[in-house]
Amino acid sequence: MRFVREWAKTLPVPSAAVIVLSGETDAALSIGAADRYGGLVQEYGLPAELREARYPAPGDRELASDIGILASGNGLSCRFDLSDLLDVRAWTVLQALYPQANVPLVPVIVNEKMVPEEFFRVGRMLSALREQGVRIIAAGATGYRLRRLSWDAVEPERWQVRFDEWLAEHVAVWDTESLFHYDQHAPLAKEAVSGGGERHLAPLFAAMGAACREKKGDRLHQSYMYGCLSLNVWSFGD
């Protein structure tokens, strides 16, 4: 978070932000259309500080409608979510990027059952919004093995590091064919991602799709906590 906060100071303020996550929805996309956001979706295990957290960013119903039109034109079903509650993953990123909560926001939840290539196509669809000054943000994780966290660990687990390095190498050369089938090609993917982590990794492919024109991705930050909690920041496109 310290890195993200400092990095955010170097970035221009966008006209709006679309934050892409993976989750449960009865359509291909769930598009946030609240007038203004407030608290967080309450999930099991959230500490009291997060249960009380607020992020009063304005929504952008016109942008949400535009995304719905794009989805329809690309054969994707969608629903509009009028709830003013944010997913904790979105809040984690947004409160670091825009601490003043002054950037209009549209959360987009992509159906977690969709495959990496479909996430990429969603990002490619959203890339058109960049020409309007909209920033496309993806929130997820390149590793999700919470039961294997080690509170006393000093060094990261080799299997998590190797998987992250494989991702970085293949993003650098834009090897989408291998990346879309990372479960077959990436070393130690089962150790790093299996058991529900697939949906946390999936937003990475949407971020790549949003930069399909430039085909450029840079890993700006990588660090680890508790052995296998992988903390990274990527920048895609120009």
Side-chain angles (χ1 to χ4, degrees), residues 36-173:
R36 183 171 294 277
Y37 289 89
L40 305 184
V41 175
Q42 298 302 297
E43 298 180 4
Y44 175 78
L46 282 184
E49 293 89 343
L50 287 184
R51 289 199 297 270
E52 299 169 2
R54 296 291 180 270
Y55 190 78
D60 190 329
R61 288 197 173 188
E62 183 175 352
L63 178 57
S65 177
D66 289 344
I67 295 171
I69 292 170
L70 287 172
S72 179
N74 282 269
L76 294 171
S77 61
C78 66
R79 61 181 294 273
F80 292 99
D81 182 6
L82 301 181
S83 169
D84 66 349
L85 299 179
L86 277 176
D87 186 289
V88 68
R89 294 167 296 170
W91 172 85
T92 300
V93 175
L94 292 168
Q95 57 85 26
L97 283 173
Y98 313 118
Q100 302 302 315
N102 57 349
V103 173
L105 171 66
V106 176
V108 174
I109 296 179
V110 183
N111 193 309
E112 64 185 14
K113 296 180 181 178
M114 294 170 68
V115 300
E117 188 170 3
E118 291 174 308
F119 273 81
F120 184 90
R121 291 173 182 166
V122 169
R124 185 171 61 191
M125 175 191 79
L126 296 173
S127 67
L129 301 174
R130 293 173 57 199
E131 298 177 4
Q132 304 172 24
V134 176
R135 178 158 295 141
I136 312 301
I137 304 167
T142 61
Y144 191 78
R145 299 306 301 274
L146 298 186
R147 292 185 179 181
R148 297 185 70 176
L149 295 180
S150 174
W151 306 113
D152 300 322
V154 176
E155 297 294 329
E157 296 286 355
R158 182 58 190 162
W159 45 266
Q160 184 62 64
V161 173
R162 187 66 193 95
F163 179 72
D164 286 334
E165 291 304 320
W166 184 91
L167 281 179
E169 291 165 8
H170 287 264
V171 169
V173 296

